[in-house]
């Protein structure tokens, strides 16, 4: 969002600044593995507070970066912390919530990403033109500080306490032996989770990242209109994630994701083919309803299919590895769209056909998600611990 401002401030090209994004993305699986192991061994609450505290410090320091090298270094650490945060928060939330509430809270948890994107977009236009890009990084620590304060009042997960006690009683005192035993028993589930999350992340990135560029470059709409398109899509994402997260409590996790994949694919033409801005907005809204509707089920689904004693590591690492695999989604779309332009010219220049490429890719990914979820596991309502009498 601040790529242009950072490039100007550091005297670099925008392509140089995007290297910070790449580094952040590449290191997220490292954070998921590191903090996942810590949380599975030592509990959820304290690692989460430590993660959020370091996250706040690094985000604040990013606003004081004096050159690109310093900024990339800070964002590298940020990537590790960001990668660990999802697994920590998800495991704690899913373990302490009532079983029957997992679906709705799964949707709320995952859609906080879309809500954060909306708030960030509004802050960008309210803050950066007047106070500069650094102020945006300083202000962005406020949600983390609030979350840290709330975390201080949380109790440790009873599910983790019980599982840790059972692990000790079973004679498995070494964590790494437990890892080996888990991989021997559940290696297929681990591979499946990474492939499934790669497909889900392709679905998300492929339908979101290039869409503003599609509106501006292919259709010639203004940056303001492209921003409106992003906002409308995020609103659809919030509605879909919460609604289908809730519905999954009745239909099941896999069936809900399958429904989203089937109906979502039907909206692909409305998402890319119209030339009128208003009609495209309708398509943007509904495609995100079903893309993020499927995503709203993911926190609960991954927690429920996780092997026992690895409910922090398994969801977080599979999520972030899938995210890393799908990182090239927008680059693939952009490259193919530019190599296969529309037949007409605009102002003497070729017009990239991003829409066709996006439509084909998302259609394929919807199909992949459908096939994968059909062969997946269903463990809705799984109890993570046994209450003492």
């Amino acid at each position: 969002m601040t790529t242009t401002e950072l490039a100007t401030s550091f005297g670099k090209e925008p392509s140089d600044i995007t290297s910070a994004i790449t580094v952040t993305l590449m290191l997220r699986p490292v954070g998921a593995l590191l903090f996942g192991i810590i949380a599975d061994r030592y509990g959820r609450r304290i690692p989460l507070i430590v993660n959020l505290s370091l996250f706040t410090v690094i985000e604040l320091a990013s606003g004081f970066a004096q050159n690109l090298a310093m900024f990339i270094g800070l964002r590298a650490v940020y990537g590790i912390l960001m990668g660990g945060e999802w697994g920590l928060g998800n495991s704690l939330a899913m373990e302490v919530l009532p079983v029957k509430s997992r679906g709705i809270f799964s949707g709320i948890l995952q859609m906080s990403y879309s809500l954060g994107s909306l708030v960030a977009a509004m802050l960008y236009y309210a803050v950066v033109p007047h106070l500069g890009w650094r102020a945006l990084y300083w202000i962005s620590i406020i949600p983390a500080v609030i979350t840290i304060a709330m975390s201080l009042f949380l109790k440790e997960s009873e599910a983790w306490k019980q599982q840790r006690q059972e692990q000790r009683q079973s004679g498995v005192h070494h964590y790494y032996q437990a890892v080996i035993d888990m991989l021997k028993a559940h290696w297929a589930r681990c591979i499946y989770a990474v492939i499934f999350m790669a497909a889900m992340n392709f679905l998300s990135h492929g339908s979101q990242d290039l869409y503003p560029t599609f509106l501006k470059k292919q259709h010639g709409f203004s940056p303001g209109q492209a921003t409106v398109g992003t906002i409308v899509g995020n609103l659809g994402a919030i509605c879909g994630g919460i609604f289908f997260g809730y519905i999954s409590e009745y239909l099941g996790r896999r069936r809900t994701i399958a429904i989203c994949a089937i109906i979502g694919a039907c909206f692909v033409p409305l998402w890319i083919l119209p030339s009128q801005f208003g009609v495209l907005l309708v398509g943007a809204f509904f495609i995100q309803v079903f893309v993020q509707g499927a995503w709203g089920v993911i926190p609960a689904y991954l927690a429920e299919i996780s092997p026992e004693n690895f409910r922090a590591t398994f969801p977080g690492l599979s999520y972030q590895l899938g995210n890393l695999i799908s990182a090239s989604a927008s680059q693939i779309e952009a490259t193919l769209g530019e190599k296969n332009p529309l037949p007409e010219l605009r102002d003497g220049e070729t017009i990239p056909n991003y829409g066709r490429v996006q439509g084909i890719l998302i259609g394929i990914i919807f199909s992949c998600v459908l096939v994968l979820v059909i062969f997946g596991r269903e463990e809705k309502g799984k109890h993570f611990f046994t209450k003492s009498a």
Side-chain angles (χ1 to χ4, degrees), residues 50-59 78 81-82 85 144:
V50 171
N51 177 281
L52 289 169
S53 300
L54 294 173
F55 184 92
T56 302
V57 171
I58 296 301
E59 184 72 357
Y78 176 91
L81 297 170
M82 187 178 182
E85 184 180 355

Side-chain angles (χ1 to χ4, degrees), residues 30-44:
V30 176
L33 179 62
L34 175 63
F35 281 95
I37 291 173
I38 293 172
D40 283 331
R41 294 190 68 178
Y42 304 110
R44 322 299 197 203

Side-chain angles (χ1 to χ4, degrees), residues 251-255 301 304-305 376-381:
L251 300 181
R253 314 301 186 205
R254 293 164 57 240
R255 185 177 295 149
Y301 181 63
E304 288 169 343
I305 68 170
R377 302 170 63 89
E378 179 64 70
E379 297 193 32
K380 183 185 75 69

Side-chain angles (χ1 to χ4, degrees), residues 318-337:
S318 58
Y319 184 157
Q320 300 302 346
L321 285 174
N323 200 24
L324 179 62
I325 293 170
S326 69
S328 60
S330 60
Q331 185 176 3
I332 292 171
E333 290 176 334
T335 301
L336 292 177

Side-chain angles (χ1 to χ4, degrees), residues 177-187 190 307-308 310 314:
Q177 182 59 50
V179 172
I180 293 172
D181 293 341
M182 184 275 289
L183 290 175
K184 286 180 179 179
H186 303 295
W187 62 270
C190 294
E308 297 295 332
F310 296 93
F314 181 88

Side-chain angles (χ1 to χ4, degrees), residues 75-148:
R75 301 318 279 181
V77 179
Y78 176 91
I80 294 173
L81 297 170
M82 187 178 182
E85 184 180 355
W86 193 89
L88 287 169
N90 186 64
S91 60
L92 181 58
M94 292 299 116
E95 287 175 348
V96 302
L97 286 168
V99 174
K100 293 183 179 180
S101 300
R102 278 186 202 145
I104 181 67
F105 280 101
S106 176
I108 293 172
L109 186 152
Q110 192 60 33
M111 287 314 102
S112 61
Y113 172 84
S114 299
L115 180 60
S117 296
L118 278 175
V119 174
M122 291 187 288
L123 283 175
Y124 174 84
Y125 285 104
V127 173
V128 174
H130 306 288
L131 301 176
W133 66 269
R134 297 181 188 275
L136 186 64
Y137 286 83
W138 299 332
I139 293 172
S140 66
I141 71 170
I142 294 174
V145 172
I146 294 172
T147 306
I148 292 169

